[in-house]
Amino acid sequence: MTYDPDNIFAKILRGEIPSTQVYEDDDTLVFMDIMPRADGHCLVIPKTPCRNVLDASPEQLLACMKTTQKISQAAMAAFDAGGVTIQQFNEAVGGQEVFHLHFHILPRHDGIKLRPPGKMEDADVIAANAEKICAALAEG
Ligand code: AMP
């Protein structure tokens, strides 16, 4: 399977479509999922191309894991969460829909299930939740 440079996350990286970004460094970008399954649901991606874990380089995986840990800590603080679910899917059969490597960060609260997939959230709600994560990151 080859990397499609016109996948939606590649377009976000090139600034061709909008996203609500919460963090970036030299190697990774983090933005809010438009169909959040929990408040604060965001996605960590490498800035360089790969489809998923199966073709990612060790460097891409390391960069994504470092950012995933950092943002998970901030998202838990931002939403006063008791835990975090990190999801990652590989190829269509594995549940992947967008073929640029990404890690889902889902803050969790006791007794509250993930919402069903596929429901768009209001842009202002997503923006407010992004602000909370940014504030937690700023506080360290
Ligand atoms: P999956 O490939 O199965 O891990 O799912 C892709 C995820 O990307 C889903 O949670 C979608 O809600 C999310 N998604 C799709 N398009 C966008 C977009 N333009 N901005 C942010 N998230 C998106």
Side-chain angles (χ1 to χ4, degrees), residues 43-73:
L43 302 168
V44 177
I45 68 172
K47 287 185 171 177
T48 49
C50 61
R51 282 175 71 85
N52 51 44
V53 160
L54 300 171
D55 66 336
S57 69
E59 292 77 18
Q60 286 172 315
L61 294 173
L62 177 60
C64 285
M65 279 298 96
K66 288 165 82 171
T67 299
T68 296
Q69 182 187 49
K70 182 184 185 77
I71 303 302
S72 294
Q73 291 165 345

PDB file of all heavy atoms in Angstrom, residues 43-73:
ATOM      1  N   LEU A  43      -6.152  14.384  17.786  1.00  0.00           N
ATOM      2  CA  LEU A  43      -5.378  13.462  16.956  1.00  0.00           C
ATOM      3  C   LEU A  43      -3.939  13.939  16.850  1.00  0.00           C
ATOM      4  O   LEU A  43      -3.686  15.123  16.594  1.00  0.00           O
ATOM      5  CB  LEU A  43      -5.981  13.398  15.546  1.00  0.00           C
ATOM      6  CG  LEU A  43      -7.453  12.973  15.461  1.00  0.00           C
ATOM      7  CD1 LEU A  43      -8.003  13.240  14.059  1.00  0.00           C
ATOM      8  CD2 LEU A  43      -7.609  11.502  15.821  1.00  0.00           C
ATOM      9  N   VAL A  44      -3.007  13.009  17.026  1.00  0.00           N
ATOM     10  CA  VAL A  44      -1.571  13.285  16.886  1.00  0.00           C
ATOM     11  C   VAL A  44      -1.098  12.683  15.570  1.00  0.00           C
ATOM     12  O   VAL A  44      -1.329  11.489  15.319  1.00  0.00           O
ATOM     13  CB  VAL A  44      -0.777  12.655  18.045  1.00  0.00           C
ATOM     14  CG1 VAL A  44       0.727  12.877  17.851  1.00  0.00           C
ATOM     15  CG2 VAL A  44      -1.248  13.192  19.387  1.00  0.00           C
ATOM     16  N   ILE A  45      -0.450  13.501  14.739  1.00  0.00           N
ATOM     17  CA  ILE A  45       0.062  12.972  13.467  1.00  0.00           C
ATOM     18  C   ILE A  45       1.522  13.380  13.280  1.00  0.00           C
ATOM     19  O   ILE A  45       1.955  14.425  13.777  1.00  0.00           O
ATOM     20  CB  ILE A  45      -0.775  13.447  12.254  1.00  0.00           C
ATOM     21  CG1 ILE A  45      -0.623  14.953  12.010  1.00  0.00           C
ATOM     22  CG2 ILE A  45      -2.246  13.063  12.426  1.00  0.00           C
ATOM     23  CD1 ILE A  45      -1.272  15.427  10.699  1.00  0.00           C
ATOM     24  N   PRO A  46       2.286  12.561  12.544  1.00  0.00           N
ATOM     25  CA  PRO A  46       3.631  13.007  12.158  1.00  0.00           C
ATOM     26  C   PRO A  46       3.514  14.004  11.011  1.00  0.00           C
ATOM     27  O   PRO A  46       2.571  13.939  10.211  1.00  0.00           O
ATOM     28  CB  PRO A  46       4.308  11.704  11.694  1.00  0.00           C
ATOM     29  CG  PRO A  46       3.188  10.864  11.174  1.00  0.00           C
ATOM     30  CD  PRO A  46       1.974  11.219  12.015  1.00  0.00           C
ATOM     31  N   LYS A  47       4.490  14.919  10.925  1.00  0.00           N
ATOM     32  CA  LYS A  47       4.467  15.896   9.834  1.00  0.00           C
ATOM     33  C   LYS A  47       4.960  15.306   8.518  1.00  0.00           C
ATOM     34  O   LYS A  47       4.745  15.892   7.459  1.00  0.00           O
ATOM     35  CB  LYS A  47       5.314  17.120  10.209  1.00  0.00           C
ATOM     36  CG  LYS A  47       4.644  17.998  11.257  1.00  0.00           C
ATOM     37  CD  LYS A  47       5.444  19.263  11.508  1.00  0.00           C
ATOM     38  CE  LYS A  47       4.662  20.235  12.373  1.00  0.00           C
ATOM     39  NZ  LYS A  47       5.445  21.451  12.702  1.00  0.00           N
ATOM     40  N   THR A  48       5.610  14.165   8.605  1.00  0.00           N
ATOM     41  CA  THR A  48       6.116  13.502   7.397  1.00  0.00           C
ATOM     42  C   THR A  48       5.200  12.333   7.043  1.00  0.00           C
ATOM     43  O   THR A  48       4.505  11.798   7.904  1.00  0.00           O
ATOM     44  CB  THR A  48       7.549  13.012   7.632  1.00  0.00           C
ATOM     45  OG1 THR A  48       7.609  12.294   8.873  1.00  0.00           O
ATOM     46  CG2 THR A  48       8.519  14.183   7.678  1.00  0.00           C
ATOM     47  N   PRO A  49       5.191  11.933   5.759  1.00  0.00           N
ATOM     48  CA  PRO A  49       4.194  10.959   5.303  1.00  0.00           C
ATOM     49  C   PRO A  49       4.461   9.520   5.727  1.00  0.00           C
ATOM     50  O   PRO A  49       5.594   9.044   5.657  1.00  0.00           O
ATOM     51  CB  PRO A  49       4.264  11.087   3.769  1.00  0.00           C
ATOM     52  CG  PRO A  49       5.583  11.667   3.475  1.00  0.00           C
ATOM     53  CD  PRO A  49       5.956  12.527   4.638  1.00  0.00           C
ATOM     54  N   CYS A  50       3.395   8.856   6.185  1.00  0.00           N
ATOM     55  CA  CYS A  50       3.347   7.401   6.301  1.00  0.00           C
ATOM     56  C   CYS A  50       1.878   7.045   6.515  1.00  0.00           C
ATOM     57  O   CYS A  50       1.098   7.866   6.992  1.00  0.00           O
ATOM     58  CB  CYS A  50       4.236   6.851   7.416  1.00  0.00           C
ATOM     59  SG  CYS A  50       3.823   7.401   9.061  1.00  0.00           S
ATOM     60  N   ARG A  51       1.514   5.853   6.111  1.00  0.00           N
ATOM     61  CA  ARG A  51       0.095   5.470   6.182  1.00  0.00           C
ATOM     62  C   ARG A  51      -0.337   5.170   7.616  1.00  0.00           C
ATOM     63  O   ARG A  51      -1.418   5.550   8.051  1.00  0.00           O
ATOM     64  CB  ARG A  51      -0.149   4.203   5.343  1.00  0.00           C
ATOM     65  CG  ARG A  51      -0.235   4.457   3.859  1.00  0.00           C
ATOM     66  CD  ARG A  51      -0.346   3.148   3.095  1.00  0.00           C
ATOM     67  NE  ARG A  51      -1.626   2.485   3.271  1.00  0.00           N
ATOM     68  CZ  ARG A  51      -2.718   2.748   2.565  1.00  0.00           C
ATOM     69  NH1 ARG A  51      -2.691   3.674   1.622  1.00  0.00           N
ATOM     70  NH2 ARG A  51      -3.837   2.081   2.775  1.00  0.00           N
ATOM     71  N   ASN A  52       0.515   4.436   8.330  1.00  0.00           N
ATOM     72  CA  ASN A  52       0.125   3.945   9.657  1.00  0.00           C
ATOM     73  C   ASN A  52       1.342   3.317  10.339  1.00  0.00           C
ATOM     74  O   ASN A  52       2.479   3.477   9.852  1.00  0.00           O
ATOM     75  CB  ASN A  52      -1.065   2.975   9.544  1.00  0.00           C
ATOM     76  CG  ASN A  52      -0.817   1.875   8.525  1.00  0.00           C
ATOM     77  OD1 ASN A  52       0.268   1.304   8.495  1.00  0.00           O
ATOM     78  ND2 ASN A  52      -1.816   1.595   7.686  1.00  0.00           N
ATOM     79  N   VAL A  53       1.118   2.593  11.410  1.00  0.00           N
ATOM     80  CA  VAL A  53       2.234   1.975  12.160  1.00  0.00           C
ATOM     81  C   VAL A  53       3.022   0.998  11.287  1.00  0.00           C
ATOM     82  O   VAL A  53       4.227   0.797  11.484  1.00  0.00           O
ATOM     83  CB  VAL A  53       1.681   1.267  13.426  1.00  0.00           C
ATOM     84  CG1 VAL A  53       2.654   0.234  13.959  1.00  0.00           C
ATOM     85  CG2 VAL A  53       1.357   2.286  14.517  1.00  0.00           C
ATOM     86  N   LEU A  54       2.354   0.426  10.299  1.00  0.00           N
ATOM     87  CA  LEU A  54       2.984  -0.645   9.520  1.00  0.00           C
ATOM     88  C   LEU A  54       4.131  -0.141   8.641  1.00  0.00           C
ATOM     89  O   LEU A  54       5.073  -0.893   8.371  1.00  0.00           O
ATOM     90  CB  LEU A  54       1.927  -1.351   8.664  1.00  0.00           C
ATOM     91  CG  LEU A  54       0.796  -1.994   9.472  1.00  0.00           C
ATOM     92  CD1 LEU A  54      -0.319  -2.470   8.551  1.00  0.00           C
ATOM     93  CD2 LEU A  54       1.329  -3.143  10.312  1.00  0.00           C
ATOM     94  N   ASP A  55       4.056   1.109   8.193  1.00  0.00           N
ATOM     95  CA  ASP A  55       5.131   1.631   7.341  1.00  0.00           C
ATOM     96  C   ASP A  55       5.865   2.812   7.985  1.00  0.00           C
ATOM     97  O   ASP A  55       6.761   3.397   7.373  1.00  0.00           O
ATOM     98  CB  ASP A  55       4.602   2.039   5.954  1.00  0.00           C
ATOM     99  CG  ASP A  55       3.641   3.211   6.015  1.00  0.00           C
ATOM    100  OD1 ASP A  55       3.028   3.431   7.072  1.00  0.00           O
ATOM    101  OD2 ASP A  55       3.489   3.912   4.993  1.00  0.00           O
ATOM    102  N   ALA A  56       5.529   3.163   9.206  1.00  0.00           N
ATOM    103  CA  ALA A  56       6.179   4.298   9.882  1.00  0.00           C
ATOM    104  C   ALA A  56       7.623   3.950  10.228  1.00  0.00           C
ATOM    105  O   ALA A  56       7.960   2.793  10.491  1.00  0.00           O
ATOM    106  CB  ALA A  56       5.411   4.657  11.149  1.00  0.00           C
ATOM    107  N   SER A  57       8.479   4.972  10.232  1.00  0.00           N
ATOM    108  CA  SER A  57       9.870   4.780  10.667  1.00  0.00           C
ATOM    109  C   SER A  57       9.906   4.812  12.194  1.00  0.00           C
ATOM    110  O   SER A  57       8.999   5.364  12.847  1.00  0.00           O
ATOM    111  CB  SER A  57      10.752   5.893  10.110  1.00  0.00           C
ATOM    112  OG  SER A  57      10.412   7.118  10.744  1.00  0.00           O
ATOM    113  N   PRO A  58      10.969   4.262  12.787  1.00  0.00           N
ATOM    114  CA  PRO A  58      11.118   4.374  14.245  1.00  0.00           C
ATOM    115  C   PRO A  58      11.096   5.822  14.710  1.00  0.00           C
ATOM    116  O   PRO A  58      10.544   6.138  15.773  1.00  0.00           O
ATOM    117  CB  PRO A  58      12.476   3.717  14.518  1.00  0.00           C
ATOM    118  CG  PRO A  58      12.659   2.757  13.388  1.00  0.00           C
ATOM    119  CD  PRO A  58      12.027   3.415  12.186  1.00  0.00           C
ATOM    120  N   GLU A  59      11.663   6.716  13.891  1.00  0.00           N
ATOM    121  CA  GLU A  59      11.693   8.134  14.272  1.00  0.00           C
ATOM    122  C   GLU A  59      10.279   8.729  14.279  1.00  0.00           C
ATOM    123  O   GLU A  59       9.931   9.524  15.169  1.00  0.00           O
ATOM    124  CB  GLU A  59      12.596   8.911  13.309  1.00  0.00           C
ATOM    125  CG  GLU A  59      14.071   8.567  13.416  1.00  0.00           C
ATOM    126  CD  GLU A  59      14.446   7.232  12.754  1.00  0.00           C
ATOM    127  OE1 GLU A  59      13.655   6.718  11.924  1.00  0.00           O
ATOM    128  OE2 GLU A  59      15.523   6.706  13.078  1.00  0.00           O
ATOM    129  N   GLN A  60       9.486   8.385  13.301  1.00  0.00           N
ATOM    130  CA  GLN A  60       8.100   8.888  13.268  1.00  0.00           C
ATOM    131  C   GLN A  60       7.315   8.359  14.469  1.00  0.00           C
ATOM    132  O   GLN A  60       6.549   9.099  15.103  1.00  0.00           O
ATOM    133  CB  GLN A  60       7.407   8.462  11.965  1.00  0.00           C
ATOM    134  CG  GLN A  60       7.884   9.232  10.750  1.00  0.00           C
ATOM    135  CD  GLN A  60       7.325   8.666   9.455  1.00  0.00           C
ATOM    136  OE1 GLN A  60       7.311   7.459   9.240  1.00  0.00           O
ATOM    137  NE2 GLN A  60       6.855   9.539   8.583  1.00  0.00           N
ATOM    138  N   LEU A  61       7.504   7.078  14.781  1.00  0.00           N
ATOM    139  CA  LEU A  61       6.777   6.494  15.915  1.00  0.00           C
ATOM    140  C   LEU A  61       7.210   7.139  17.225  1.00  0.00           C
ATOM    141  O   LEU A  61       6.362   7.450  18.081  1.00  0.00           O
ATOM    142  CB  LEU A  61       7.011   4.977  15.965  1.00  0.00           C
ATOM    143  CG  LEU A  61       6.431   4.187  14.795  1.00  0.00           C
ATOM    144  CD1 LEU A  61       6.871   2.731  14.870  1.00  0.00           C
ATOM    145  CD2 LEU A  61       4.912   4.281  14.776  1.00  0.00           C
ATOM    146  N   LEU A  62       8.511   7.345  17.384  1.00  0.00           N
ATOM    147  CA  LEU A  62       9.006   7.956  18.622  1.00  0.00           C
ATOM    148  C   LEU A  62       8.454   9.368  18.781  1.00  0.00           C
ATOM    149  O   LEU A  62       7.972   9.744  19.868  1.00  0.00           O
ATOM    150  CB  LEU A  62      10.543   7.982  18.619  1.00  0.00           C
ATOM    151  CG  LEU A  62      11.182   8.669  19.833  1.00  0.00           C
ATOM    152  CD1 LEU A  62      10.790   7.968  21.133  1.00  0.00           C
ATOM    153  CD2 LEU A  62      12.704   8.706  19.686  1.00  0.00           C
ATOM    154  N   ALA A  63       8.492  10.136  17.704  1.00  0.00           N
ATOM    155  CA  ALA A  63       7.985  11.511  17.783  1.00  0.00           C
ATOM    156  C   ALA A  63       6.501  11.505  18.146  1.00  0.00           C
ATOM    157  O   ALA A  63       6.053  12.297  19.001  1.00  0.00           O
ATOM    158  CB  ALA A  63       8.213  12.222  16.446  1.00  0.00           C
ATOM    159  N   CYS A  64       5.742  10.626  17.527  1.00  0.00           N
ATOM    160  CA  CYS A  64       4.299  10.574  17.820  1.00  0.00           C
ATOM    161  C   CYS A  64       4.049  10.128  19.255  1.00  0.00           C
ATOM    162  O   CYS A  64       3.134  10.658  19.920  1.00  0.00           O
ATOM    163  CB  CYS A  64       3.591   9.636  16.850  1.00  0.00           C
ATOM    164  SG  CYS A  64       3.385  10.324  15.194  1.00  0.00           S
ATOM    165  N   MET A  65       4.818   9.182  19.739  1.00  0.00           N
ATOM    166  CA  MET A  65       4.602   8.710  21.115  1.00  0.00           C
ATOM    167  C   MET A  65       4.944   9.784  22.134  1.00  0.00           C
ATOM    168  O   MET A  65       4.236   9.961  23.141  1.00  0.00           O
ATOM    169  CB  MET A  65       5.431   7.459  21.379  1.00  0.00           C
ATOM    170  CG  MET A  65       4.829   6.177  20.874  1.00  0.00           C
ATOM    171  SD  MET A  65       3.235   5.794  21.661  1.00  0.00           S
ATOM    172  CE  MET A  65       2.092   6.449  20.479  1.00  0.00           C
ATOM    173  N   LYS A  66       6.026  10.537  21.884  1.00  0.00           N
ATOM    174  CA  LYS A  66       6.384  11.614  22.813  1.00  0.00           C
ATOM    175  C   LYS A  66       5.277  12.663  22.862  1.00  0.00           C
ATOM    176  O   LYS A  66       4.884  13.129  23.938  1.00  0.00           O
ATOM    177  CB  LYS A  66       7.719  12.251  22.387  1.00  0.00           C
ATOM    178  CG  LYS A  66       8.904  11.347  22.654  1.00  0.00           C
ATOM    179  CD  LYS A  66      10.145  11.797  21.918  1.00  0.00           C
ATOM    180  CE  LYS A  66      10.890  12.892  22.606  1.00  0.00           C
ATOM    181  NZ  LYS A  66      12.218  13.126  21.946  1.00  0.00           N
ATOM    182  N   THR A  67       4.756  13.013  21.689  1.00  0.00           N
ATOM    183  CA  THR A  67       3.684  14.009  21.647  1.00  0.00           C
ATOM    184  C   THR A  67       2.395  13.439  22.237  1.00  0.00           C
ATOM    185  O   THR A  67       1.661  14.147  22.946  1.00  0.00           O
ATOM    186  CB  THR A  67       3.470  14.495  20.204  1.00  0.00           C
ATOM    187  OG1 THR A  67       4.678  15.108  19.762  1.00  0.00           O
ATOM    188  CG2 THR A  67       2.323  15.488  20.114  1.00  0.00           C
ATOM    189  N   THR A  68       2.112  12.177  21.969  1.00  0.00           N
ATOM    190  CA  THR A  68       0.900  11.557  22.514  1.00  0.00           C
ATOM    191  C   THR A  68       0.930  11.575  24.042  1.00  0.00           C
ATOM    192  O   THR A  68      -0.086  11.868  24.693  1.00  0.00           O
ATOM    193  CB  THR A  68       0.756  10.113  21.981  1.00  0.00           C
ATOM    194  OG1 THR A  68       0.589  10.173  20.563  1.00  0.00           O
ATOM    195  CG2 THR A  68      -0.436   9.402  22.599  1.00  0.00           C
ATOM    196  N   GLN A  69       2.081  11.297  24.629  1.00  0.00           N
ATOM    197  CA  GLN A  69       2.179  11.344  26.097  1.00  0.00           C
ATOM    198  C   GLN A  69       1.956  12.776  26.601  1.00  0.00           C
ATOM    199  O   GLN A  69       1.188  13.003  27.542  1.00  0.00           O
ATOM    200  CB  GLN A  69       3.546  10.838  26.553  1.00  0.00           C
ATOM    201  CG  GLN A  69       3.691  10.829  28.068  1.00  0.00           C
ATOM    202  CD  GLN A  69       5.107  10.498  28.503  1.00  0.00           C
ATOM    203  OE1 GLN A  69       6.073  11.070  28.013  1.00  0.00           O
ATOM    204  NE2 GLN A  69       5.225   9.549  29.434  1.00  0.00           N
ATOM    205  N   LYS A  70       2.604  13.730  25.955  1.00  0.00           N
ATOM    206  CA  LYS A  70       2.497  15.131  26.390  1.00  0.00           C
ATOM    207  C   LYS A  70       1.040  15.627  26.301  1.00  0.00           C
ATOM    208  O   LYS A  70       0.524  16.232  27.255  1.00  0.00           O
ATOM    209  CB  LYS A  70       3.398  15.995  25.478  1.00  0.00           C
ATOM    210  CG  LYS A  70       3.451  17.463  25.795  1.00  0.00           C
ATOM    211  CD  LYS A  70       4.309  18.170  24.745  1.00  0.00           C
ATOM    212  CE  LYS A  70       4.495  19.626  25.076  1.00  0.00           C
ATOM    213  NZ  LYS A  70       5.484  19.861  26.136  1.00  0.00           N
ATOM    214  N   ILE A  71       0.398  15.340  25.199  1.00  0.00           N
ATOM    215  CA  ILE A  71      -0.971  15.833  25.009  1.00  0.00           C
ATOM    216  C   ILE A  71      -1.964  15.049  25.874  1.00  0.00           C
ATOM    217  O   ILE A  71      -2.962  15.603  26.359  1.00  0.00           O
ATOM    218  CB  ILE A  71      -1.361  15.786  23.515  1.00  0.00           C
ATOM    219  CG1 ILE A  71      -0.367  16.594  22.680  1.00  0.00           C
ATOM    220  CG2 ILE A  71      -2.790  16.297  23.318  1.00  0.00           C
ATOM    221  CD1 ILE A  71      -0.225  18.057  23.082  1.00  0.00           C
ATOM    222  N   SER A  72      -1.699  13.771  26.098  1.00  0.00           N
ATOM    223  CA  SER A  72      -2.576  12.991  26.984  1.00  0.00           C
ATOM    224  C   SER A  72      -2.574  13.585  28.385  1.00  0.00           C
ATOM    225  O   SER A  72      -3.626  13.715  29.028  1.00  0.00           O
ATOM    226  CB  SER A  72      -2.114  11.533  27.037  1.00  0.00           C
ATOM    227  OG  SER A  72      -2.275  10.902  25.788  1.00  0.00           O
ATOM    228  N   GLN A  73      -1.391  13.947  28.874  1.00  0.00           N
ATOM    229  CA  GLN A  73      -1.297  14.550  30.209  1.00  0.00           C
ATOM    230  C   GLN A  73      -2.053  15.868  30.255  1.00  0.00           C
ATOM    231  O   GLN A  73      -2.815  16.144  31.199  1.00  0.00           O
ATOM    232  CB  GLN A  73       0.179  14.742  30.584  1.00  0.00           C
ATOM    233  CG  GLN A  73       0.913  13.429  30.816  1.00  0.00           C
ATOM    234  CD  GLN A  73       2.433  13.586  30.819  1.00  0.00           C
ATOM    235  OE1 GLN A  73       2.968  14.615  30.390  1.00  0.00           O
ATOM    236  NE2 GLN A  73       3.132  12.569  31.286  1.00  0.00           N
TER     237      GLN A  73
END
